[in-house]
Amino acid sequence: MYTYQLAKDIMVTKLVTLSPEVDVFKAIDLLLKHRISGAPVIDARRNFLGMFSEKNCMSVLLESAYEQHPTTHLYAFMDVEVPTINEDADLLDIARIFRDTHCRRLPVIRKSKLVGQISRRDLLKAAHSMMASAPDRESTWLYLSSIAERHEAPIV
């Protein structure tokens, strides 16, 4: 009937990642080259450190116009307070995080290591696929409400 979709079923594992020591202008170049709006920042052992996004690029632009920075390393501009999820987060939990935050992507973490990422679009594709494969919409809504009941958290 329905498959209960978890982060590990939806996540993208082939990611453009950045090092905290990379030059911020090289990082911007990589975002533009790969046509992505942000990328996870990891260390040499794949430990998740934060995110670097187009929003951070605006800070680089504005701060470089008004101040002289002692460094152009990415770590000075990346977000370190980033919501993350584990591989067992379900579709509705992920949707709640996207609804309640400004995040466009969520790093998927296993034991502090980056194992994947889910974007808003990835989640929409998974939900749309689930809805499209349903025999009828009514049963799909019942299925979703049963998931929400399990978590004792209604969809608002």
Side-chain angles (χ1 to χ4, degrees):
M1 184 169 171
Y2 295 105
T3 56
Y4 190 65
Q5 294 192 314
L6 303 175
K8 62 184 166 191
D9 305 319
I10 304 168
M11 70 183 183
V12 174
T13 57
K14 293 182 181 178
L15 301 171
V16 172
T17 59
L18 300 168
S19 162
E21 293 85 22
V22 72
D23 182 84
V24 72
F25 298 104
K26 180 167 173 47
I28 292 170
D29 184 53
L30 284 170
L31 295 183
L32 293 171
K33 178 182 173 186
H34 291 282
R35 304 179 77 183
I36 56 176
S37 62
V41 181
I42 59 173
D43 66 16
R45 292 180 291 201
R46 295 199 57 82
N47 289 308
F48 177 74
L49 303 174
M51 293 293 284
F52 183 73
S53 68
E54 289 173 336
K55 184 176 180 181
N56 301 111
C57 296
M58 297 306 119
S59 294
V60 172
L61 175 68
L62 291 170
E63 290 176 24
S64 64
Y66 297 113
E67 301 174 25
Q68 289 185 334
H69 287 290
T71 183
T72 60
H73 288 130
L74 181 72
Y75 65 78
F77 300 97
M78 67 185 207
D79 288 326
V80 293
E81 302 271 333
V82 178
T84 62
I85 57 174
N86 66 43
E87 296 169 293
D88 295 323
D90 69 56
L91 187 130
L92 294 181
D93 286 337
I94 298 166
R96 280 187 198 94
I97 294 169
F98 280 135
R99 181 196 64 193
D100 296 342
T101 67
H102 294 293
C103 295
R104 299 178 120 186
R105 67 200 66 74
L106 289 170
V108 182
I109 307 297
R110 180 191 317 132
K111 296 180 182 176
S112 78
K113 307 275 190 229
L114 179 70
V115 293
Q117 177 176 282
I118 297 176
S119 68
R120 289 178 179 176
R121 181 160 295 160
D122 297 329
L123 182 72
L124 287 175
K125 284 180 186 176
H128 183 266
S129 175
M130 183 182 77
M131 302 290 240
S133 66
D136 60 52
R137 283 190 180 171
E138 204 171 294
S139 66
T140 303
W141 294 122
L142 286 172
Y143 170 70
L144 289 174
S145 68
S146 72
I147 295 172
E149 286 175 17
R150 267 201 306 247
H151 294 295
E152 300 177 353
I155 299 175
V156 180

